[in-house]
C-alpha cells in the first residue's frame, strides 16, 4: 500500500538485527536515490531497512562488512496477488510474508543472469542473485550460502557427493540436464529437481542436480 508519510517508503526489516526480515517500517527516501539494479548501501546492519534506494526498491543482500548491496524493486498490486511492473520479473515472497520483491527469473541450465550473478533456487522458480563464491565455490568445495558456488553449481548438503567434506555446512555440486544426464561424482546420478517431475514449471522440466541417491 505504501501508506507512509511524504518522502518515506514502507520497507521490510529485521527488528532484532538478524538476517531474517520479520517486520515493516517507514524510512526516509534519500535525495538522489539509486534505482533498481544499481549498487546501494544500508545503514546500521544489512536488514535495517535504511538504505539509499528509491521509493520503489530496497537494498538487497547487503554485505555484513561493507553494507553494500543492490537495489531490488518491491512488488506492486495487493497482498493476495502481488506482481511486478514488467516481465521477466516475478514476485517472490518470503521473510514471514513481509518480503515481496521482484527478481528476474532464469534457467540454471541456460542462465541469462549478469556476469557477476548466479541462477539460484527461489521457491518454485529460479532467480538471479549476486555471486558470493569469491575465490572458492568450485566443484565439491565447501559452501555455506545458496550463492556460494560457481556458475552451474549448487550448494547442497555434503551427502550429495562422496567427494564432499563429511560434516561440512554444504558442498558445491552441478546442475544437470535430465535429457542428457552427465555427473562427475562417484555414484552420483542426475536426479530431477522437481518432485514429482510433473510439478516443474514450463521450460524447467529437464532441470536436475547431481547427487548420490
Amino acid at each position: 500500500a505504501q501508506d507512509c508519510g511524504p518522502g518515506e517508503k514502507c520497507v521490510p526489516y529485521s527488528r532484532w538485527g538478524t538476517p531474517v526480515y520479520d517486520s515493516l517500517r517507514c524510512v526516509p527516501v534519500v535525495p538522489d536515490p539509486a534505482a533498481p539494479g544499481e549498487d546501494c548501501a544500508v545503514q546500521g546492519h544489512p536488514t535495517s531497512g535504511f538504505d539509499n534506494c528509491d521509493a520503489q526498491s530496497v537494498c538487497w543482500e547487503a554485505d555484513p562488512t561493507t553494507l553494500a548491496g543492490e537495489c531490488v524493486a518491491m512488488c506492486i498490486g495487493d497482498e493476495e496477488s502481488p506482481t511486478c511492473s514488467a516481465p521477466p520479473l516475478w514476485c517472490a515472497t518470503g521473510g514471514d510474508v513481509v518480503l515481496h520483491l521482484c527478481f528476474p527469473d532464469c534457467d540454471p541450465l541456460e542462465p541469462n543472469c549478469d556476469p557477476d550473478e548466479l541462477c539460484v533456487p527461489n521457491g518454485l522458480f529460479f532467480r538471479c542473485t549476486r555471486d558470493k563464491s569469491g575465490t572458492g565455490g568450485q566443484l565439491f568445495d565447501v559452501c555455506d550460502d545458496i550463492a556460494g558456488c560457481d556458475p552451474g553449481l549448487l550448494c547442497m548438503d555434503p551427502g550429495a557427493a562422496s567427494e564432499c567434506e563429511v560434516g561440512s555446512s554444504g558442498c558445491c555440486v552441478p546442475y544437470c540436464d535430465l535429457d542428457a544426464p552427465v555427473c562427475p561424482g562417484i555414484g552420483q546420478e542426475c536426479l530431477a529437481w522437481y518432485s514429482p517431475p510433473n510439478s516443474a514449471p514450463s521450460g524447467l522440466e529437464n532441470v536436475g542436480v547431481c547427487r548420490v541417491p
Side-chain angles (χ1 to χ4, degrees), residues 81-138:
S81 55
T83 185
C84 295
S85 57
L89 301 179
W90 60 279
C91 183
T93 300
D96 198 22
V97 202
V98 299
L99 281 175
H100 298 281
L101 302 179
C102 293
F103 295 102
D105 59 4
C106 57
D107 181 341
L109 300 181
E110 297 180 11
N112 58 344
C113 303
D114 291 340
D116 62 343
E117 293 184 329
L118 303 171
C119 185
V120 299
N122 190 200
L124 187 62
F125 297 92
F126 291 83
R127 66 175 174 86
C128 298
T129 190
R130 289 197 171 187
D131 186 345
K132 298 181 180 179
S133 60
T135 58
Q138 299 175 34

